[in-house]
Amino acid sequence: MMKAYIKHISYYLPENKFTNQDIENLFPEWNNDKIISKIGVKSRRIAGKDQKVSDMAIEAIQNLCSEFQINKSEIDYLIICTQSPDYFLPATACIVQNKAGLPTSCGAIDINQGCSGYIYGLTLAKGLIISKVAKNVVLVTSEMYSKHIHPLDKGNRSIFGDAATATLISDNGEYEIGEFSLGGDGSGCENLMIKNGGMQNDKTGDTSFPSDDYLFMNGPEIFKFTAKVVPDLIFGTLAKNNESLDSVDQFLFHQANTYMLKYLKKLIKIPDNKFIIDMEDYGNTVSSTIPISLKNLITNNNHKDKILIAGFGVGYSWGAVCLYKS
């Protein structure tokens, strides 16, 4: 039976750093100690004023190809996960295909999935490999939430950072992609939303705070949703893969904030040494959090035989899968 593997991962971080001291300078009441205790982030990278999601995506692909000597002509499918596309149309993936120098025989598609986007992207990539539609799929996550956030929104500015990643999925590689568990519940969509700017509501140009032109997040409701859904997601994924909390070597969740992560770890009863928290230098980079942390895990030679990765959030949507060292 055909199998699909994560072969390589690279990522790109914008040059601009936005530190807790920068935030404290803008909002003196919101100091470093509060940010560390509530969110667990020291600094985050922020895209330049003229930088676009496609620019970051291209940088991530270039890093992937140069780091692992990948011939671009062999990439035959490109998936870009982003909630900050360059345009309504065309797909950002088409722009990136051209500017990154990928062949015109390469399929190119966007998905808009947010915090669970890496998991959903892997489902599509695995399907393309197993069905033999493609041999080498590059899954890019490129997120630029900073441009969705109001300048006076100290909470969300403290949480979110910008980043792009590129993952090569093929019929051979470092980690076999196991069985997925997925879910969605659109009844909670308004708890993490930008209400204006699509076809439903035009942007108003309202620059006051708060404004429906910018990102809105109902933190308490998102927390309640996560606490309700994630334990079932984890145990369901373990069951699908014939695994247990004991048999899995590492659990890597979407890096939303450290308070939530520690709560989930305790709720599910995951041992400290099996649970990754890796966001203090990046912030919440949305769909890029899991591949960044996974790349770091692999680079640091902490090779684990079995890793469970899980994403959850905006939508609501959620998903998880087990990865097996080959």
Side-chain angles (χ1 to χ4, degrees), residues 4-10 64 68 70 74 118 122 135-137 166-177 298 326:
Y5 297 80
I6 290 175
K7 195 166 188 176
H8 300 299
I9 307 173
S10 291
L64 179 75
F68 299 105
I70 295 167
E74 295 179 358
Y118 189 67
L122 288 178
K135 291 183 178 180
N136 294 293
V137 179
T167 302
L168 178 64
I169 298 99
S170 190
D171 60 2
N172 66 88
E174 189 152 12
Y175 280 95
E176 180 187 344
I177 302 170
I298 294 169
S326 57

Side-chain angles (χ1 to χ4, degrees), residues 86-103:
D86 287 10
Y87 306 102
F88 276 129
L89 56 95
T92 302
C94 293
I95 296 168
V96 172
Q97 170 276 321
N98 175 50
K99 291 186 176 180
L102 303 183

Side-chain angles (χ1 to χ4, degrees), residues 179-192:
E179 299 299 319
F180 292 89
S181 293
L182 303 165
D185 180 4
S187 68
C189 67
E190 292 190 355
N191 290 318
L192 187 45

Side-chain angles (χ1 to χ4, degrees), residues 133-197:
V133 170
K135 291 183 178 180
N136 294 293
V137 179
V138 171
L139 167 60
V140 170
T141 62
S142 189
E143 303 285 9
M144 208 176 270
Y145 263 36
S146 65
K147 296 189 178 181
H148 291 318
I149 299 172
H150 194 285
L152 297 179
D153 188 349
K154 64 178 182 288
N156 283 327
R157 290 188 74 183
S158 301
I159 293 169
F160 292 103
D162 301 333
T165 75
T167 302
L168 178 64
I169 298 99
S170 190
D171 60 2
N172 66 88
E174 189 152 12
Y175 280 95
E176 180 187 344
I177 302 170
E179 299 299 319
F180 292 89
S181 293
L182 303 165
D185 180 4
S187 68
C189 67
E190 292 190 355
N191 290 318
L192 187 45
M193 174 181 272
I194 302 168
K195 288 188 177 179
N196 297 344

Side-chain angles (χ1 to χ4, degrees), residues 101-280:
L102 303 183
T104 55
S105 56
C106 176
I109 189 172
D110 286 3
I111 61 172
N112 176 338
Q113 202 62 31
C115 314
S116 63
Y118 189 67
I119 307 295
Y120 274 78
L122 288 178
T123 69
L124 301 179
K126 180 179 178 179
L128 290 165
I129 297 298
I130 289 176
S131 63
K132 299 184 180 181
V133 170
K135 291 183 178 180
N136 294 293
V137 179
V138 171
L139 167 60
V140 170
T141 62
S142 189
E143 303 285 9
M144 208 176 270
Y145 263 36
S146 65
K147 296 189 178 181
H148 291 318
I149 299 172
H150 194 285
L152 297 179
D153 188 349
K154 64 178 182 288
N156 283 327
R157 290 188 74 183
S158 301
I159 293 169
F160 292 103
D162 301 333
T165 75
T167 302
L168 178 64
I169 298 99
S170 190
D171 60 2
N172 66 88
E174 189 152 12
Y175 280 95
E176 180 187 344
I177 302 170
E179 299 299 319
F180 292 89
S181 293
L182 303 165
D185 180 4
S187 68
C189 67
E190 292 190 355
N191 290 318
L192 187 45
M193 174 181 272
I194 302 168
K195 288 188 177 179
N196 297 344
M199 297 302 167
Q200 182 75 15
N201 303 302
D202 290 335
K203 278 193 177 291
T204 64
D206 179 12
T207 58
S208 63
F209 178 70
S211 165
D212 287 345
D213 282 4
Y214 296 90
L215 179 71
F216 166 76
M217 181 166 65
N218 185 334
E221 286 300 316
I222 296 294
F223 189 90
K224 283 167 59 178
F225 144 73
T226 303
K228 178 183 177 182
V229 166
V230 173
D232 288 343
L233 171 65
I234 300 310
F235 288 112
T237 305
L238 289 171
K240 274 194 173 183
N241 290 274
N242 298 311
E243 302 294 348
S244 67
L245 288 176
D246 291 334
S247 67
V248 170
D249 298 307
Q250 203 80 58
F251 292 83
L252 171 52
F253 292 0
H254 164 57
Q255 304 288 292
N257 62 72
T258 55
Y259 181 83
M260 180 183 289
L261 289 170
K262 289 175 181 177
Y263 180 85
L264 291 172
K265 178 188 67 173
K266 184 177 179 181
L267 188 64
I268 301 168
K269 295 183 171 58
I270 301 172
D272 289 352
N273 65 339
K274 289 189 174 188
F275 194 78
I276 292 175
I277 296 180
D278 181 18
M279 63 180 299
E280 73 172 24

